[in-house]
Amino acid sequence: MYDGGKIVVGLVVFIGVVTFPLWYRQASGEALRAPEPKIVTDAKECVAPTDYMRASHQAMLNEWRDLVVRDGMRVYVAFNGQEHEMSLSNTCMKCHPNKVEFCDQCHNYIGVVPYCWDCHIEPKESN
Amino acid sequence: MERSRRNFLKISGICLLGLGVKPVVHALAKNEQPQILPGPDAMTAKRWAMVVDTKKCVDDCRDCIDACHQTHNVPDFGNPKDEIKWIWHEYYGHAFPGQEHEYEAEEIERKPFMVLCNHCDNPPCVRVCPVQATWKRSDGIVMMDYHRCIGCRCCMAACPYGSRSFNWRDPRPYIKETNPEYPTRTKGVAEKCTFCVERLAVGLMPACVEACKHGALVFGALDEPDSPIREILRSNFTLRRKPELGTRPQVYYIV
């Protein structure tokens, strides 16, 4: 093979550059950091089991929205018998008023930007 | 397995039994499911409507407008081109076109008439909405789902009363005092009066009715023969706006 050394070096550099996005975050340790949403409420339980909330709160919010606006239903009796008004600003954000330290922690990590806050009013953060 | 008639019947029987089990499993599983309710104090009716007694309206009074716009975070852009209106003043000739004449009583000519969405029985805005963002509820309220509005403005073209407004700009900077309990709207959606569905749901009268000190606004159920609104309609001559269009408006005026 002519210029074998150069080709091999070139290939290594090429593969390194192409795969850069894959290993850089691992190597820098940044990806290992999991988001840490901070819970400030005194309540013990959310409106649904924590696992479900973590995975499916966005689906639940959509369901609430349609039930309230389209079906005129307003009250949600949760799995633990607690009654809640189905409202984003008046329910979720009353127990989770620290949007920046809670909702945004996860959302910034995975890069979702819920557009709900264009209309729904964010709680005033104390800091 | 041997394919005999006997075996076939056995398996069919077992399958049928299985169907019988399903509702039982369903009922057991349901207990753990969350429940959805309309709310304990919700006011209900088969047909909501309003009467505006313009004889009781005081000329420069804006109580109902202010209460409504404050409750629902309606912005004030300060120019009529961008104006967002839920409930507003209109002059006689505009409210009841075709009725006005040259020799009108000065009082009628000068008097502002409160106008709002008529919550028509045959709402043209609902017919034209391509995404069902607006629809007539079973209690007659013409409701609006801001989440689904795509801002095409067909409803505005269809409404003969100008009851729908469009957010040409971001309304937030133009809201004087924000009510944190009710969402604002955003640039690119249409909006209008919803007869305060969020207040009816917790047993409160619409904000404008509650704010009116003069008792000029009466809200109630048309389907109940003894309701105050029916009594007023029985004992007064009332007008509706542009009834000839066939929209069957449900806001009545005593002039």
Side-chain angles (χ1 to χ4, degrees):
Chain A
M1 195 161 59
Y2 297 112
D3 293 332
K6 283 184 196 159
I7 291 174
V8 170
V9 170
L11 271 178
V12 169
V13 170
F14 175 74
I15 289 170
V17 170
V18 168
T19 56
F20 176 79
L22 298 180
W23 51 259
Y24 173 74
R25 293 206 115 197
Q26 297 291 338
S28 66
E30 224 183 294
L32 302 177
R33 179 190 69 89
E36 286 162 13
K38 202 166 128 200
I39 304 222
V40 291
T41 165
D42 293 333
K44 290 280 167 296
E45 289 174 312
C46 198
V47 294
T50 314
D51 286 345
Y52 177 83
M53 288 310 288
R54 194 171 298 159
S56 310
H57 59 281
Q58 69 281 10
M60 178 183 215
L61 281 169
N62 281 356
E63 214 171 278
W64 278 22
R65 176 191 68 197
D66 290 349
L67 284 166
V68 170
V69 178
R70 301 198 80 90
D71 302 337
M73 298 295 187
R74 296 260 164 182
V75 174
Y76 183 84
V77 185
F79 69 110
N80 53 4
Q82 280 269 354
E83 280 191 13
H84 298 284
E85 182 198 344
M86 287 190 275
S87 171
L88 176 54
S89 289
N90 306 336
T91 303
C92 307
M93 307 323 280
K94 288 276 140 67
C95 278
H96 301 294
N98 53 341
K99 176 170 167 291
V100 174
E101 287 176 317
F102 185 73
C103 314
D104 293 353
Q105 275 292 313
C106 294
H107 295 164
N108 291 343
Y109 181 78
I110 50 160
V112 286
V113 185
Y115 67 95
C116 321
W117 311 111
D118 290 354
C119 296
H120 291 266
I121 292 159
E122 300 175 28
K124 287 207 177 60
E125 311 263 342
S126 44
N127 48 359
Chain B
M1 189 170 37
E2 198 190 333
R3 233 180 285 156
S4 66
R5 177 183 298 211
R6 188 181 163 77
N7 269 341
F8 174 76
L9 286 176
K10 266 194 210 157
I11 291 172
S12 306
I14 291 171
C15 290
L16 277 179
L17 262 184
L19 280 182
V21 172
K22 193 177 164 248
V24 178
V25 173
H26 216 73
L28 288 178
K30 221 174 190 133
N31 281 341
E32 316 218 323
Q33 291 290 311
Q35 269 179 297
I36 311 288
L37 305 169
D41 304 321
M43 289 204 284
T44 53
K46 290 208 186 67
R47 176 71 239 196
W48 291 116
M50 189 183 276
V51 170
V52 182
D53 187 346
T54 60
K55 286 183 186 150
K56 291 188 181 157
C57 266
V58 179
D59 275 1
D60 291 325
C61 175
R62 286 180 52 90
D63 290 352
C64 53
I65 303 181
D66 291 340
C68 169
H69 288 191
Q70 159 89 50
T71 312
H72 299 113
N73 293 324
V74 176
D76 179 8
F77 289 111
N79 86 57
K81 205 169 115 270
D82 295 337
E83 193 181 5
I84 308 279
K85 298 176 295 194
W86 285 39
I87 176 167
W88 71 103
H89 283 158
E90 198 70 273
Y91 286 99
Y92 183 67
H94 291 165
F96 301 97
Q99 294 285 337
E100 78 278 27
H101 55 78
E102 289 169 65
Y103 311 107
E104 208 79 75
E106 200 190 317
E107 194 201 331
I108 294 279
E109 214 168 51
R110 201 193 54 227
K111 199 177 195 76
F113 286 72
M114 298 316 310
V115 295
L116 65 159
C117 171
N118 282 294
H119 295 275
C120 305
D121 242 358
N122 180 21
C125 53
V126 168
R127 270 237 306 266
V128 298
C129 179
V131 293
Q132 275 98 56
T134 189
W135 74 101
K136 199 176 89 182
R137 305 197 331 167
S138 57
D139 57 6
I141 295 180
V142 177
M143 181 59 180
M144 168 85 203
D145 184 348
Y146 301 100
H147 304 98
R148 207 177 280 196
C149 178
I150 57 171
C152 70
R153 312 202 301 284
C154 289
C155 55
M156 296 173 67
C159 177
Y161 307 105
S163 294
R164 288 177 167 270
S165 310
F166 188 69
N167 286 278
W168 294 99
R169 296 194 268 162
D170 179 12
R172 284 227 169 144
Y174 299 92
I175 301 170
K176 265 172 261 139
E177 267 174 76
T178 314
N179 168 13
E181 310 256 296
Y182 196 84
T184 64
R185 268 69 57 203
T186 179
K187 185 171 153 183
V189 296
E191 63 180 82
K192 71 169 199 80
C193 154
T194 61
F195 261 173
C196 284
V197 284
E198 83 286 358
R199 291 173 59 91
L200 297 178
V202 292
L204 295 171
M205 276 283 165
C208 55
V209 176
E210 196 182 270
C212 182
K213 291 192 291 284
H214 309 285
L217 303 176
V218 178
F219 181 82
L222 278 190
D223 52 291
E224 289 169 23
D226 305 327
S227 61
I229 188 166
R230 281 289 293 277
E231 186 50 43
I232 292 176
L233 290 176
R234 246 196 309 272
S235 49
N236 288 278
F237 173 69
T238 46
L239 285 177
R240 294 188 289 176
R241 298 181 63 202
K242 307 185 190 177
E244 68 278 10
L245 296 178
T247 55
R248 298 202 295 278
Q250 297 300 321
V251 177
Y252 297 78
Y253 290 85
I254 300 175
V255 181

